[in-house]
Amino acid sequence: MPDFRTLLCSALVAGTALGGIALAPVALAQPAPAQPTVPAPVAEQGKPAAGSDAKTSDHTPTSQAPAPAGEAAAPVQGQGSAPAIQSDASSQAASTAQPDGADAELERGAYIATAADCVACHTQAGGKPFAGGMKIATPMGDVIATNITPDPEHGIGRYTEAEFDNAIRHGVRKDGSYLYPVMPYVSYAGMTDQDVKALYAWFMHVVKPVSEAPAETNLSFPASMRSAMVAWNFVTSKEQPETGDSSTYDTLRRGRYLANALEHCGTCHTPRNFMLSEKQDHYLAGASLGAWYAPNITSSKTGGIADWSEDDLVEYLRTGRVQGRAQAAGPMAEAVEHSTSHLSEADLHALAAFILKVAPMDDDADHTPRDASGKPVEVPDIRTKGPQRIDDLAEMDGPHIYDANCSACHGRDGAGTKDHYVPSLFANSTVGAGRPDNLIMTILKGVDRTAGKEHAFMPGFDGQSDVQRLSDAEIATLVNYVTATFGTGDHQVTPELVKSLRKDTPVTNPLAKDK
Amino acid sequence: MSSEQTLSADVVIVGSGVAGASIANELACAGISVIVLEAGPRVDRQHFVENFRNLENKPSYQEPFPAVPWARHPPNQITPNEYLHTTGPDAEAYQQVYLRMMGGTTWHWAGCAWRYLPSDFELKSRYGQGRDWALKYEDLEPFYYQAEVMMGVCGPDPAKEDLGSPRKQPYPMDALPISYAAQQFRKLIDEKTPWRVVHEPQARNTRPYDNRPTCEGHNNCMPICPIGAMYNGSYSVYHAEAAGAKFIPNAVVYKIERDSANKRVTGVQYYDPDKQSHRVTGKYFVIAAHCIETAKLLLVSADEQSPDGVANSSGHVGRNMMDHTGVQVTFISGDKALWPGRGPLETNVIDNFRDGDWRNERGAYLVHMVDDNQVDFATQMAISKGYVGRELEEQIRYLASHTVRLFSHNEALPDPENRLTLSKTNKDILGIPHPDVYYKLPEYTVKSCEHTRKVFKELIGLMHGTDEQWTPGYFPQDHPSGSTIMGTDPKDSVVDGHCRTHDHENLFIASSSVFSTVGTGNITLTVAALALRVADTLKKELLHA
Amino acid sequence: MKKDWPSAPVSLQNVSPNAMRMARLLRMSRRDMLLTGMGAAVTCSVAAAAEAPSAPASGTDSVAGQFMAVSRLLTDRPTLDLRIGNALYAGIVESNPTRQAQITALHALMEKEQFTSAADFAAAAEKADPALKDVMHDILTGWYRGVADGKVVVYRSALMFDITKDAIYPKTYAAGGPFYWTTQPPEVAHPTGHPALSPSKFVVEPT
């Protein structure tokens, strides 16, 4: 289960990569969801529509048809590298049924959906795309992502464009109640009218309706009162909507639009105040997501990424890795996999250029660039023991835990593999960070990130691992050895800290039948 | 002494290797209660990796796994051995090694995942040799595929490289790209001989699979893959446990109990390391304890009802012991540098001798060009030749880059005289007798090995080889099989075509011990497929009863 | 097989893992004592080894210094790792009580004459005393294979891997990334050098 504020880039496990999601290739050829003869509310929380309050459903959808051709958007910059799967789907459909203008709008909508990474939360592991069901842990309880497919009963099939807009940019559901702020509408508020319209068209016409109701969110008082969210909406600061055609912006404006209105970088990377609102005076200065830590990515020379070039950042967002700097794991790996790796080259540069201009904020824990520590370590592997009996599972010391579990791939010297498939541990942001959280989490959960043709994979070493299950004490010992050897020093990680981050879900076998 | 608590489950499985663990996982996933009794301990990878690195005699792949005293296994392949006593004219050829611990012997297999050929199941009717199995290739085909998916097997596209075992689905993963050395060997065979080299199907990841990483070519499949890119039985144990199976390590089963009619098994008894006895009851029982230990357990369970041992009315328990006893040669190629040992150990074979009309008089075989790191071998050889200093380093580089090792898997035949019995003199600390095996290589296999030697000599000539070092005698391949042989006639076989014992209707055996013939190619995939078929039978009987 | 590392102790007192651990803690071989006595570089952990000073072997055993000098000549290498050297020396001396005197004899020979190569030195040493061949084998086996007294002293740091590192990795330490093995490794010319010592029997152990 993702932790609070990993929300928008949260755990889709292996196998549900966007690239693997089958969007109905003939979606456009299908009739739009039937206009209901009896108005019924949309089950925002996935409850059966019949059980909802019918009085709130005063308006029925007026049109499910694509936007008028006259409003066709200009193609977004570099649309040639828009996510292949959506363009395949829309172009195939378009060739049979749609005029060019609508086709362009759908392509834009697909691209916006990818850039805004909707799939990350609204699809659960192994589930159907956008059918919801993923649990997102918050300090107040679990919020369950809703079905946002165009299914009229369980999804958003009955949302008008205006109602869709109201949810996306203002956090208000069709029934008038407020969305929980795990939905990043404070960021999406910055989207242009044209992009919201395109997004609506894409959701209504390309996404395959799924007639499934995810479980309902059931929070504890007072958050259970959606009305309380009105107050939250009042105090929190929202993005101001951009205007015009977002594809025509200059580089920095486009970058800012991508970072804030679409990719919602701040949702994870900006710390929050006691009201859980992002602290805009600490924009992108780093925040804990519970277990993973979204680091300071301001232009601070000590705590941020001032030493990165625009090309470095572009490569990172496209591939999830830059040798000698960093690799994306956890929630960021998902953001790369589902969203940033699909952005056009021009958009990647715009986003990178904007991020690198963010005002520097020094960091509490990082006092030297995270990727600037360590060097290869070469010492002879002097050995004093013969083979031990097979049941001797005694805990080893740091160098030996490293030798037995890490050195096969990362090398005894920490240099990784020659082809950089396995990264070096020195000059590595995860190891060199002042906070050991991400190193511990990477060891526990591993790395599983597909971007382009590369599937980066490191096994986890937690209690579900088939490769090796390490104890809290072993991981603490290992982390302290690794940071002392390749990072900024021994972080004195305790087994208790590892335990608190581990949060193992119960060991389960997904193929097992419920008993 | 006996514990008061009696454990019970729908299915009780003895052994947690690939056979027992995969059955446990299948049944547990179907909601059936399962207890797995493993004689050895829980183990983990990291300690074996260190054990390997700390071992002087690195080619001895059994030695990184020093046994526990209550569940001993052979410490090495030396004869006489401290545990498995072999006698007979070819005693050394039957010095098998195996592992008694969670996950079993697949901890140190090479991952070769061959399907048998359809003819391997019909040796008697096609070639007049050995026996026919009580099932056909087609009966096993779906389970072969299920086993390939479970293990994660990579292999060639059947349209490009037909390995002779018809497939309904492609391999779960693309074939492993072969090393430069293997490419050169393949080229030589293609150009200079009538034979061919094929990609060996392997339970090894050529992409991330089942939450395990892609193979990085550590060249150490045997004895221990350091990263888990190769399948071993412990994964299935973990998956079975996660699905609800109860896994009990350090539980040495020593007795199989039956009802008064001697038709049904009612329970098994096991010792813990302190020799406390425990009883486990169930509806069905599966013995999946490796060919040697399975036969040993059936024989150890002898009592007044069954004086020759459980499931042994035929007298064939412990008989018909087979292996892929082969030939091995190491030599120095006179051609260009190959640098074997880059990549996984066993990736390519010559498969032309797996089947042919000649099987009416000599056994089939399969030839491996072992892609094994030869640096240590080269160093020992260069020092023994008298080189020192600069000249020594020059020699090491040359020998390490030019050493070639070939070995073969040669087919045995089931011969009742090749027999496992209980030692009359040696017992373990629990008082359980050690296994003894008498072995004489069948003439059929001897002829096959002679043919192999001729082929090897031809290959050495083609590679301008020198310094031939033939491993003396015959070379055990750790593929023991046949000790509870399958057949249709209860008078001369132990189990039927579903691996159910003829004598006891609720007792199954999942092991290479049921093999009626041994074919060529590593036995593990066939063991897994047979086991998954046992699971299928049990599911049908338990869920639709 | 090496009998002094119990692979499967059968005695009942060693049955439980804890009992085994205790027994091992209490067991301290002469070799362990020797290592401790030498003080300097050799310890039980890789990390500690990393921090060890590169001072010459301490005065507790002057032959250790002779061992390093002889080793440099026999390997034709101007520098060798002292930490490894001390550990090898401890193992070689432990394996055979005559080795210490033989190392001194080798050292005396190299001091007496000016040898310009390992080959000249080795040939002269064997000629002077055929029994010295074994100790030279021990020294070479130590440095190149990383083995002394039938035990692993270093694995991946053995010289045999250093001289082949442009082509191949020690098993379990491959660092080329997936499928690195498909590329062509370096060609190796046919050696031109000659053996310096008389040949010894070499048998491939069955695996």
Side-chain angles (χ1 to χ4, degrees):
Chain A
M1 191 185 308
D3 300 297
F4 177 55
R5 288 165 73 240
T6 59
L7 26 151
L8 293 178
C9 24
S10 217
L12 279 191
V13 300
T16 57
L18 188 62
I21 291 169
L23 297 170
V26 290
L28 278 186
Q30 292 175 342
Q35 191 168 320
T37 48
V38 178
V42 170
E44 172 71 5
Q45 287 301 316
K47 58 193 167 191
S52 299
D53 181 4
K55 283 180 288 189
T56 60
S57 310
D58 289 332
H59 27 222
T60 52
T62 50
S63 168
Q64 299 291 347
E71 300 217 7
V76 293
Q77 296 173 26
Q79 63 161 293
S81 36
I85 181 129
Q86 280 103 349
S87 35
D88 287 352
S90 48
S91 61
Q92 184 184 341
S95 64
T96 56
Q98 291 299 314
D100 289 348
D103 180 22
E105 178 173 63
L106 291 174
E107 269 194 42
R108 174 183 283 246
Y111 191 80
I112 296 294
T114 301
D117 206 5
C118 311
V119 74
C121 287
H122 286 280
T123 307
Q124 65 175 327
K128 293 178 181 147
F130 304 107
M134 173 183 274
K135 274 190 197 171
I136 300 155
T138 80
M140 293 168 286
D142 294 342
V143 172
I144 298 169
T146 54
N147 180 336
I148 54 167
T149 70
D151 182 75
E153 293 298 319
H154 305 292
I156 57 169
R158 293 197 178 109
Y159 271 58
T160 62
E161 193 179 309
E163 287 162 348
F164 181 81
D165 182 8
N166 215 21
I168 294 279
R169 290 199 288 192
H170 306 289
V172 180
R173 307 199 302 186
K174 182 178 172 70
D175 65 7
S177 61
Y178 282 84
L179 291 170
Y180 293 116
V182 293
M183 163 76 179
Y185 56 84
V186 294
S187 301
Y188 295 157
M191 282 166 68
T192 63
D193 293 348
Q194 184 188 24
D195 286 347
V196 171
K197 189 173 170 58
L199 190 60
Y200 176 75
W202 184 77
F203 264 104
M204 289 302 165
H205 299 298
V206 181
V207 173
K208 194 176 177 183
V210 177
S211 185
E212 277 174 14
E216 264 191 75
T217 296
N218 199 354
L219 295 186
S220 56
F221 181 84
S224 58
M225 295 167 63
R226 283 177 179 273
S227 56
M229 295 300 120
V230 181
W232 191 87
N233 267 290
F234 188 72
V235 298
T236 198
S237 53
K238 288 186 206 168
E239 282 294 306
Q240 292 305 307
E242 268 283 14
T243 52
D245 181 348
S246 65
S247 66
T248 62
Y249 296 166
D250 63 32
T251 300
L252 282 182
R253 188 176 173 201
R254 177 73 183 170
R256 185 184 179 286
Y257 184 69
L258 283 161
N260 292 346
L262 299 180
E263 294 287 354
H264 52 284
C265 309
T267 305
C268 291
H269 286 277
T270 302
R272 302 206 174 218
N273 63 22
F274 70 98
M275 280 296 292
L276 304 179
S277 297
E278 293 171 29
K279 295 199 255 185
Q280 289 312 321
D281 55 345
H282 284 68
Y283 181 61
L284 305 187
S288 174
L289 310 177
W292 294 92
Y293 191 87
N296 182 328
I297 52 169
T298 69
S299 57
S300 164
K301 288 195 171 74
T302 53
I305 56 170
D307 58 334
W308 289 50
S309 70
E310 186 178 306
D311 285 346
D312 287 341
L313 197 47
V314 166
E315 184 185 340
Y316 182 82
L317 293 167
R318 193 202 306 115
T319 65
R321 57 165 176 77
V322 181
Q323 171 59 25
R325 296 218 182 279
Q327 308 78 40
M332 190 63 204
E334 289 152 14
V336 169
E337 176 164 334
H338 302 306
S339 184
T340 61
S341 65
H342 301 276
L343 293 184
S344 71
E345 198 64 16
D347 273 357
L348 286 170
H349 277 278
L351 182 53
F354 169 75
I355 296 286
L356 291 176
K357 286 209 161 46
V358 167
M361 289 291 306
D362 286 346
D363 199 273
D364 294 342
D366 291 324
H367 305 300
T368 53
R370 290 182 294 275
D371 52 12
S373 8
K375 59 179 192 315
V377 172
E378 193 46 70
V379 290
D381 66 329
I382 291 175
R383 293 174 184 275
T384 56
K385 282 161 85 174
Q388 306 299 297
R389 212 166 78 176
I390 51 176
D391 60 335
D392 181 357
L393 305 183
E395 190 189 320
M396 297 182 271
D397 60 15
H400 285 95
I401 296 174
Y402 179 85
D403 193 42
N405 292 287
C406 317
S407 67
C409 299
H410 289 285
R412 227 356 278 191
D413 58 358
T417 55
K418 287 198 173 135
D419 61 352
H420 304 320
Y421 177 76
V422 178
S424 67
L425 295 180
F426 49 85
N428 184 319
S429 292
T430 306
V431 178
R435 298 174 185 82
D437 309 37
N438 287 352
L439 180 57
I440 297 170
M441 287 303 290
T442 304
I443 293 169
L444 282 169
K445 303 294 175 192
V447 177
D448 190 347
R449 178 190 73 231
T450 300
K453 285 180 182 164
E454 184 181 82
H455 186 169
F457 185 90
M458 161 179 157
F461 291 82
D462 68 359
Q464 311 242 25
S465 179
D466 285 350
V467 173
Q468 175 65 49
R469 299 177 179 190
L470 293 177
S471 70
D472 295 331
E474 284 170 322
I475 290 177
T477 305
L478 176 60
V479 167
N480 291 334
Y481 170 75
V482 167
T483 57
T485 308
F486 303 112
T488 52
D490 184 336
H491 286 315
Q492 310 280 327
V493 167
T494 61
E496 289 69 34
L497 175 63
V498 177
K499 188 177 184 184
S500 72
L501 294 179
R502 179 186 290 262
K503 287 182 187 154
D504 268 351
T505 45
V507 177
T508 52
N509 182 327
L511 299 175
K513 211 166 129 177
D514 287 336
K515 283 180 214 137
Chain B
M1 221 184 294
S2 206
S3 76
E4 287 165 22
Q5 197 186 7
T6 297
L7 293 158
S8 189
D10 289 339
V11 179
V12 178
I13 300 169
V14 181
S16 72
V18 57
S22 55
I23 295 173
N25 185 37
E26 281 298 310
L27 297 181
C29 283
I32 294 166
S33 69
V34 181
I35 289 174
V36 181
L37 301 170
E38 167 56 53
R42 266 189 197 278
V43 294
D44 70 6
R45 182 182 313 274
Q46 56 177 346
H47 289 85
F48 297 149
V49 173
E50 286 302 293
N51 274 1
F52 163 76
R53 292 168 176 167
N54 292 336
L55 176 71
E56 186 270 327
N57 184 14
K58 291 209 161 46
S60 181
Y61 50 82
Q62 181 80 353
E63 289 184 67
F65 306 93
V68 291
W70 58 88
R72 299 193 61 191
H73 50 231
N76 50 47
Q77 283 159 296
I78 307 299
T79 311
N81 187 281
E82 291 168 41
Y83 178 68
L84 173 65
H85 305 261
T86 54
T87 57
D90 296 300
E92 292 192 358
Y94 214 80
Q95 195 52 64
Q96 315 290 352
V97 292
Y98 55 97
L99 298 171
R100 292 175 76 190
M101 57 192 207
M102 179 184 98
T105 309
T106 43
W107 275 98
H108 73 24
W109 71 318
C112 304
W114 288 95
R115 292 179 175 203
Y116 277 177
L117 301 169
S119 58
D120 292 336
F121 299 90
E122 303 164 30
L123 200 64
K124 182 76 179 173
S125 47
R126 292 206 195 189
Y127 302 113
Q129 290 284 359
R131 295 175 175 227
D132 285 350
W133 293 49
L135 56 79
K136 301 269 187 215
Y137 176 84
E138 299 74 56
D139 298 323
L140 215 46
E141 202 281 339
F143 300 101
Y144 266 135
Y145 184 64
Q146 195 184 343
E148 287 164 345
V149 171
M150 176 187 81
M151 294 182 181
V153 176
C154 68
D157 177 352
K160 290 185 188 151
E161 218 171 85
D162 181 1
L163 300 179
S165 305
R167 307 182 56 83
K168 290 194 175 125
Q169 290 93 351
Y171 280 101
M173 280 181 276
D174 290 345
L176 186 102
I178 59 174
S179 70
Y180 177 79
Q183 293 164 30
Q184 299 311 300
F185 184 67
R186 189 174 167 127
K187 205 170 141 204
L188 177 86
I189 299 300
D190 281 352
E191 290 173 1
K192 302 274 177 66
T193 76
W195 314 316
R196 69 166 189 173
V197 171
V198 296
H199 286 86
E200 184 148 33
Q202 298 165 68
R204 180 186 322 292
N205 289 357
T206 54
R207 60 178 166 87
Y209 188 93
D210 204 15
N211 282 318
R212 293 180 288 109
T214 306
C215 176
E216 290 178 359
H218 289 285
N219 198 236
N220 206 53
C221 324
M222 296 170 78
I224 180 72
C225 172
I227 65 171
M230 183 181 74
Y231 173 84
N232 81 42
S234 72
Y235 315 147
S236 294
V237 175
Y238 284 140
H239 298 176
E241 282 192 288
K246 185 174 176 63
F247 172 75
I248 305 179
N250 304 316
V252 186
V253 177
Y254 66 94
K255 174 79 182 165
I256 301 171
E257 305 172 340
R258 286 91 63 216
D259 61 6
S260 55
N262 204 14
K263 278 290 158 204
R264 290 184 67 83
V265 171
T266 52
V268 295
Q269 292 181 32
Y270 73 83
Y271 287 133
D272 63 24
D274 297 324
K275 212 178 173 180
Q276 299 291 304
S277 187
H278 306 258
R279 187 161 181 267
V280 186
T281 60
K283 294 177 188 157
Y284 286 87
F285 295 81
V286 181
I287 312 299
H290 181 272
C291 174
I292 286 173
E293 296 297 325
T294 293
K296 189 185 104 178
L297 173 58
L298 295 176
L299 295 176
V300 165
S301 296
D303 53 19
E304 282 178 11
Q305 264 184 323
S306 298
D308 297 325
V310 168
N312 197 19
S313 63
S314 65
H316 274 267
V317 169
R319 294 184 181 272
N320 308 299
M321 302 295 284
M322 298 177 279
D323 183 27
H324 287 135
T325 320
V327 178
Q328 174 168 268
V329 67
T330 305
F331 61 95
I332 311 301
S333 158
D335 298 336
K336 287 190 168 181
L338 293 173
W339 289 106
R342 301 162 79 248
L345 270 182
E346 294 177 14
T347 61
N348 65 101
V349 302
I350 300 175
D351 75 339
N352 298 77
F353 312 106
R354 287 190 80 197
D355 198 20
D357 291 342
W358 37 262
R359 277 176 98 182
N360 60 8
E361 54 174 18
R362 65 175 158 88
Y365 63 96
L366 175 149
V367 175
H368 273 103
M369 195 281 281
V370 194
D371 218 334
D372 197 5
N373 183 317
Q374 301 291 355
V375 173
D376 193 19
F377 171 88
T379 304
Q380 293 179 64
M381 190 173 191
I383 291 173
S384 75
K385 284 182 168 192
Y387 291 97
V388 301
R390 239 171 257 118
E391 291 81 4
L392 175 64
E393 299 194 358
E394 189 185 42
Q395 276 294 320
I396 292 172
R397 277 181 71 81
Y398 187 78
L399 295 173
S401 57
H402 287 75
T403 299
V404 177
R405 181 153 72 97
L406 302 173
F407 77 72
S408 61
H409 287 174
N410 297 66
E411 183 180 21
L413 283 181
D415 177 352
E417 296 309 309
N418 284 330
R419 184 177 182 191
L420 180 148
T421 53
L422 301 175
S423 173
K424 293 187 172 60
T425 50
N426 295 301
K427 289 182 177 171
D428 64 23
I429 59 162
L430 300 174
I432 302 171
H434 288 191
D436 284 355
V437 175
Y438 170 92
Y439 201 65
K440 179 176 184 300
L441 212 56
E443 235 356 76
Y444 190 69
T445 314
V446 171
K447 282 186 195 160
S448 175
C449 289
E450 280 166 9
H451 193 273
T452 309
R453 284 200 185 90
K454 279 185 212 149
V455 168
F456 281 11
K457 284 194 173 125
E458 193 171 337
L459 291 173
I460 294 167
L462 286 172
M463 299 176 88
H464 308 101
T466 55
D467 298 77
E468 286 169 44
Q469 307 238 4
W470 294 82
T471 301
Y474 299 94
F475 185 58
Q477 290 285 6
D478 310 319
H479 298 165
S481 39
S483 66
T484 64
I485 200 158
M486 175 190 289
T488 48
D489 184 352
K491 288 196 210 62
D492 73 354
S493 62
V494 180
V495 302
D496 68 12
H498 286 90
C499 301
R500 188 195 309 261
T501 58
H502 292 302
D503 294 356
H504 311 287
E505 60 196 26
N506 64 339
L507 178 65
F508 288 77
I509 292 175
S511 160
S512 56
S513 63
V514 305
F515 287 18
S516 306
T517 56
V518 75
T520 50
N522 309 52
I523 61 177
T524 305
L525 189 76
T526 303
V527 170
L530 287 167
L532 291 168
R533 194 159 176 263
V534 167
D536 189 60
T537 304
L538 289 173
K539 270 194 266 185
K540 281 177 187 151
E541 296 197 7
L542 278 159
L543 298 176
H544 307 294
Chain C
M1 295 310 100
K2 314 306 167 216
K3 296 296 179 198
D4 47 346
W5 278 338
S7 58
V10 219
S11 56
L12 276 168
Q13 62 269 31
N14 272 353
V15 154
S16 80
N18 272 335
M20 261 193 74
R21 240 166 257 141
M22 284 306 294
R24 206 167 43 240
L25 282 175
L26 294 172
R27 202 189 311 133
M28 240 187 136
S29 71
R30 197 178 135 227
R31 179 168 170 242
D32 293 330
M33 298 297 287
L34 189 58
L35 288 173
T36 316
M38 289 180 57
V42 186
T43 74
C44 291
S45 104
V46 180
E51 292 150 15
S54 294
S58 68
T60 53
D61 189 342
S62 60
V63 185
Q66 298 175 355
F67 172 81
M68 288 303 293
V70 170
S71 294
R72 284 190 292 268
L73 181 51
L74 266 182
T75 56
D76 282 327
R77 283 175 175 250
T79 54
L80 288 170
D81 190 298
L82 187 66
R83 296 163 291 190
I84 299 175
N86 284 339
L88 289 173
Y89 173 72
I92 289 171
V93 170
E94 165 75 11
S95 71
N96 184 330
T98 63
R99 290 290 183 255
Q100 207 162 7
Q102 289 173 327
I103 290 165
T104 300
L106 284 173
H107 190 255
L109 180 65
M110 75 176 263
E111 292 286 283
K112 202 173 86 186
E113 293 179 43
Q114 286 296 313
F115 293 102
T116 54
S117 72
D120 291 349
F121 172 59
E126 190 182 13
K127 198 175 165 193
D129 178 2
L132 292 176
K133 187 171 101 170
D134 285 351
V135 71
M136 287 189 282
H137 274 185
D138 279 3
I139 294 169
L140 293 169
T141 298
W143 286 105
Y144 286 95
R145 290 192 68 219
V147 170
D149 192 20
K151 302 182 180 88
V152 177
V153 172
V154 286
Y155 169 46
R156 67 178 168 79
S157 307
L159 286 183
M160 63 181 175
F161 295 121
D162 184 57
I163 61 179
T164 52
K165 68 185 175 193
D166 58 331
I168 200 162
Y169 303 105
K171 287 169 178 250
T172 73
Y173 288 109
F179 315 140
Y180 76 86
W181 51 86
T182 57
T183 57
Q184 183 172 1
E187 191 49 68
V188 179
H190 201 280
T192 53
H194 298 286
L197 298 170
S198 61
S200 308
K201 193 171 162 53
F202 173 57
V203 182
V204 184
E205 285 194 54
T207 55

